[in-house]
Amino acid sequence: TMKIIKTLSIIAVTTLSLMSASVSAQSITATALTLDDAEAKIAAQAQQQGAQYTITEASSNDVVHMTAKLHK
């Protein structure tokens, strides 16, 4: 029975860790005329939420569209 309790405890901790990670990860977007301006908007959003960011996508036609993932 101790082995079962230990296994269930490990499963519970792992599940809660994964849930916590998925809740704290958030995607944000910005549009601007230049890459620098789009990244500045992303940086401002991240700073406002007290988070770091990783740019995951950037594309440009007439305007730059950028997506980033926040990490707390």
Side-chain angles (χ1 to χ4, degrees):
T1 56
M2 282 302 285
K3 188 174 183 179
I4 292 171
I5 292 172
K6 187 175 181 180
T7 301
L8 290 175
S9 296
I10 291 171
I11 291 170
V13 169
T14 302
T15 301
L16 289 173
S17 296
L18 290 173
M19 287 172 53
S20 174
S22 67
V23 168
S24 66
Q26 177 185 356
S27 290
I28 57 174
T29 61
T31 56
L33 295 177
T34 68
L35 283 170
D36 288 341
D37 288 346
E39 185 170 5
K41 288 181 178 183
I42 293 286
Q45 290 180 57
Q47 183 179 20
Q48 185 178 33
Q49 296 189 35
Q52 301 292 318
Y53 65 93
T54 301
I55 296 171
T56 56
E57 176 268 335
S59 61
S60 176
N61 290 322
D62 292 336
V63 296
V64 174
H65 175 82
M66 187 175 286
T67 304
K69 184 169 282 195
L70 296 182
H71 308 279
K72 292 195 176 195

